[in-house]
Amino acid sequence: MKCSTTSADLFSISELTREPGYSSKILEALPRLGDAQDAEEAVEQFRKTLHLMGADAGVFLSVIRDDATRTSYRSLLACDAQWATEYTKGGWYAHDPWLRHALHNTEPVRGTELDVRPEEEAFVNVSSRLGFASSLIVPAPSAAGMSRVAVMTMGSHNLRFFDDAGVVATRVVARALAMELNRWLHRTIRQELLARSGITPDDLVLLRHEEAGHTSKRIGTVLNIEPTTVDCRFQRVSAKLDAPDRRSAARVARLYGLL
C-alpha cells in the first residue's frame, strides 16, 4: 500500500512541487474550505489542504481592531493542540512575529527571513518544537487595512523544508489558501454578529447613511421620519453593536462585513 507524503518524507518542498498536478489539486480543494459550514469542517479542510502542500501544521490568525481600546482575535488551528495552549499561556498575541509581519507587509516570507525581536524568541522556539521548525508566513490582506489583519502560517518538522526554490510555486497556492481562510472567517463572523445583535435590514440602511456622512435631518427627509426619530434609532443600533456612538457603529458594521 502506498503511504501518503508528508514533509518528514521529503528533503525539500521542491520534490513535492515537481509532482504532476501539485497546484491543480490544491486549487480544486480550496472552495470546499471557503464554503465550510462550521469551524470543525473548516479545520478539517484546512488540514487536508496543508497535507496536499506537504505541510505538517498550519494556523490562521485574524485580528480585528474595533476601536482604539477593543481588539478581537480569531483563529483556525490545524496543528498540535499544545501550540494553542502555549500561545495563550504566553500571551503571544502581543509578541507574535507572524502577526507583526502581516500588519506591515502583504508578501509571504519564510520564517528564516523574519527579523525576530528578543521578546518574540520564546514564541519562535516553542513553535519550532510543535510543527513549525520550517515555516512559510502568508498575510491575508483586507480592504480594512490595519484594522483587520490576518495571517496564515504553514509549518514543517523538516528544518529546511521551505528553504529552497520550490517555495516559489508553493507561495502562489499558499496565498490562495490564506484568502480562502479569510473568506470563510469573514463570512462566519458576519453571520455570528447578525445573529447576536439582531441587526435588521432597516438598521443597515441607517448605518449606510451614517457611513456616507449624512446628517439626521437628511436621513429623516429620505426616510420620511423626524430627525429626533433618526437619533433614537441610531441609539438602538449602536447598543445592538455595543458601540458608543453611531460613527463607531458604522465602523463596526464595516469591519465585520455587514456593509
Side-chain angles (χ1 to χ4, degrees), residues 2-234:
K2 183 179 180 180
C3 297
S4 57
T5 302
T6 68
S7 69
D9 304 316
L10 301 170
F11 177 75
S12 73
I13 201 169
S14 291
E15 297 178 43
L16 183 61
T17 58
R18 285 196 294 266
E19 292 184 2
Y22 168 74
S23 296
S24 61
K25 290 176 183 176
I26 297 166
L27 295 175
E28 288 172 5
L30 293 184
R32 292 193 290 274
L33 193 161
D35 295 335
Q37 295 303 303
D38 54 37
E40 183 177 358
E41 182 182 351
V43 169
E44 179 61 22
Q45 293 299 329
F46 188 16
R47 288 185 187 279
K48 289 180 178 178
T49 308
L50 289 168
H51 177 77
L52 290 173
M53 301 172 77
D56 298 318
V59 300
F60 181 75
L61 303 171
S62 174
V63 181
I64 298 179
R65 292 179 172 84
D66 298 353
D67 55 40
T69 61
R70 187 170 60 180
T71 302
S72 59
Y73 297 86
R74 297 290 296 268
S75 62
L76 281 175
L77 307 178
C79 61
D80 190 319
Q82 186 63 28
W83 185 91
T85 300
E86 296 291 339
Y87 195 93
T88 302
K89 184 171 67 175
W92 284 333
Y93 293 107
H95 304 296
D96 181 341
W98 303 344
L99 273 177
R100 179 168 59 83
H101 174 75
L103 186 62
H104 301 289
N105 302 274
T106 60
E107 288 294 314
V109 296
R110 291 169 285 201
T112 52
E113 297 174 296
L114 290 176
D115 182 16
V116 178
R117 297 172 178 174
E119 63 271 21
E120 297 167 343
E121 289 178 358
F123 167 88
V124 172
N125 291 336
V126 170
S127 297
S128 295
R129 293 202 320 267
L130 297 175
F132 299 91
S134 180
S135 59
L136 182 65
I137 299 98
V138 187
S142 76
M146 294 177 67
S147 295
R148 191 170 73 227
V149 178
V151 61
M152 178 196 72
T153 300
M154 300 167 52
S156 169
H157 291 291
N158 185 330
L159 186 60
R160 312 306 299 178
F161 186 65
F162 292 108
D163 290 338
D164 76 350
V167 78
V168 174
T170 298
R171 185 183 289 122
V172 174
V173 288
R175 276 176 160 168
L177 172 56
M179 294 310 294
E180 277 302 291
L181 288 163
N182 206 26
R183 180 171 77 89
W184 180 86
L185 185 59
H186 191 234
R187 174 171 58 86
T188 299
I189 62 176
R190 179 183 185 278
Q191 292 171 344
E192 291 175 353
L193 182 57
L194 283 172
R196 182 174 70 249
S197 66
I199 288 289
T200 67
D202 287 343
D203 294 335
L204 295 179
V205 170
L206 273 184
L207 291 168
R208 290 189 184 96
H209 279 292
E210 172 61 27
E211 192 174 46
H214 297 165
T215 63
S216 294
K217 182 177 180 180
R218 180 172 178 181
I219 297 170
T221 300
V222 173
L223 300 181
N224 196 29
I225 57 178
E226 292 295 322
T228 53
T229 303
V230 172
D231 292 338
C232 288
R233 287 179 58 181
F234 266 122

